[in-house]
Amino acid sequence: MTEKKKILIRIGSLRHGGAEKVLVTFLKNLPEDKYEIDLLLNLYSGKYLSEVPDWINILYLNKGEMITTNRIQDIPQKIYRVVYQNLLKAFPQLLYQGILKGKKYDVEFAAIHGMRDEILNSPLKSSKKIVWIHNDLTEVKGYTTDEIRKFFGFDKIMVISEKIKETFLGLAQNKTEEQKIEKIYNPLDTDEILNKAEKPALNYSFDSSLPTFISVGTVFPQKGFDRLLKVHKRLLDEGFKHTIHIVGNGYDFENIKKLKSELGVDNTATMLGFTDNPYPYFKHADFYILSSRYEGFPTVLFEAITLKKNIIATEVSGVKEMLNDGAIGLIVENSEEGIYSGMKKSLENPEYFNRYSENLKEYTMPFSLQNSVDSIMNIIDRL
């Protein structure tokens, strides 16, 4: 029997984000007999922890929930976590001899771009190194061309959309660097989405007499929920009755909630918080709206497509690819005005969306869960 490949995977936590969900879906579909995996979290927390298969060894730097406030009582723990993580980042030998007990790995894997330096600074010089890029880094603060070029220190750069691939190809300086870039569609489980959608929408009932919009995602500025609420208010003021439902949690939750109250739309816009099953909410909504300022490859659209929803999406990385160049959903300008025009069109002329519904009936995804998992395994096995 061939020896199992030893792999170290690093990610911040397993909170409620797209990259975290995709990583856990990937791990759930790996064969146990091929790999020996250590999953190292900066923070042992998150809704997806319970879904990690038992055979995967979970390690962590800190335990407890993410601290998103600056309350006096939280500050000492917050400072401790930051100092401790920075110490281990500056002196990786401490981490590898301590928590990782001097173990040698064949492959070290940064599951998000934010783990770049932790993996590239590993004292294990013989291990092969992979990074998984889920965002369009040209839109992420602090990522200059020089910063993005540092990713070529990896043996493989896995990207999740054509736009991200083009960014890296444009920065590659030779054939060797070009060959490091691999586009892999995110592994997502369509059967799970369809099955979960049949369950009841917990603690909530929809008003079926009004057009309903749903948006799902981690609540932080990238997702543009502030823009969505301002457009919602503007349309209400123009006499277009409708409701908005935002599903998700995140460090901007209280700010968005406050904005909702300031705009006076508490009766028509609902913030449902995080749920590990958002699909019944999709099912009951008339439209799915993506209001993001930037993305890598918005996996949430895959979920909306699977559930045959009418879609309105800002033109961010991955959207044209996912919506088949606008054949199965309305792509709008990436601005408040774009979101406004798309939503107004859906309220003024809902029949306009019939064309998308028809195309969706015939549409099959250009990728499958097994294909994606096999592609990633193939990369790991070839290294």
Side-chain angles (χ1 to χ4, degrees), residues 185-217:
Y185 284 119
N186 276 337
L188 286 158
D189 193 335
T190 38
D191 290 341
E192 182 185 46
I193 292 165
L194 292 166
N195 291 336
K196 281 185 164 184
E198 294 309 311
K199 302 215 158 88
L202 293 175
N203 313 324
Y204 196 72
S205 58
F206 283 81
D207 180 351
S208 56
S209 67
L210 292 175
T212 303
F213 295 83
I214 188 170
S215 198
V216 179

Side-chain angles (χ1 to χ4, degrees), residues 14-17 20-21 24 46-52 274:
L14 290 180
R15 65 183 179 84
H16 34 271
E20 291 81 357
K21 182 184 176 67
V24 171
K47 307 288 182 181
Y48 297 122
L49 272 173
S50 59
E51 292 188 39
V52 177
F274 176 80

Side-chain angles (χ1 to χ4, degrees), residues 88 154-155 293 296 301 328 357:
L88 294 178
F154 285 89
D155 295 287
R293 289 182 164 89
L301 287 188
I328 55 171
S357 303

Side-chain angles (χ1 to χ4, degrees), residues 213-217 221 223-236 242-247 256 259-260 263 265 268-271 287-293 312 314 335-340 342-343:
F213 295 83
I214 188 170
S215 198
V216 179
K223 300 298 179 184
F225 293 134
D226 54 328
R227 308 197 290 188
L228 180 57
L229 288 176
K230 286 172 189 169
V231 167
H232 171 54
K233 165 71 171 160
R234 189 172 157 191
L235 288 165
L236 287 174
H242 65 289
T243 59
I244 297 259
H245 305 282
I246 295 170
V247 180
I256 297 296
L259 175 66
K260 184 165 72 80
L263 291 169
V265 295
T268 50
T270 314
M271 293 186 72
F287 297 91
Y288 184 84
I289 182 142
L290 183 89
S291 54
S292 295
R293 289 182 164 89
I312 302 166
T314 50
S335 65
E336 206 170 296
E337 206 51 46
I339 296 165
Y340 168 78
M343 288 180 69

Side-chain angles (χ1 to χ4, degrees), residues 307-320:
L307 295 169
K308 310 292 185 201
K309 287 286 110 184
N310 287 318
I311 295 166
I312 302 166
T314 50
E315 192 176 340
V316 291
S317 169
V319 163
K320 278 190 169 171

Side-chain angles (χ1 to χ4, degrees), residues 251-287:
Y251 67 75
D252 222 20
F253 190 88
E254 291 307 320
N255 291 334
I256 297 296
K257 202 170 162 187
K258 190 166 161 241
L259 175 66
K260 184 165 72 80
S261 298
E262 284 168 0
L263 291 169
V265 295
D266 282 335
N267 292 331
T268 50
T270 314
M271 293 186 72
L272 294 158
F274 176 80
T275 168
D276 55 4
N277 182 14
Y279 307 121
Y281 301 98
F282 275 82
K283 191 180 164 192
H284 291 287
D286 300 298
F287 297 91

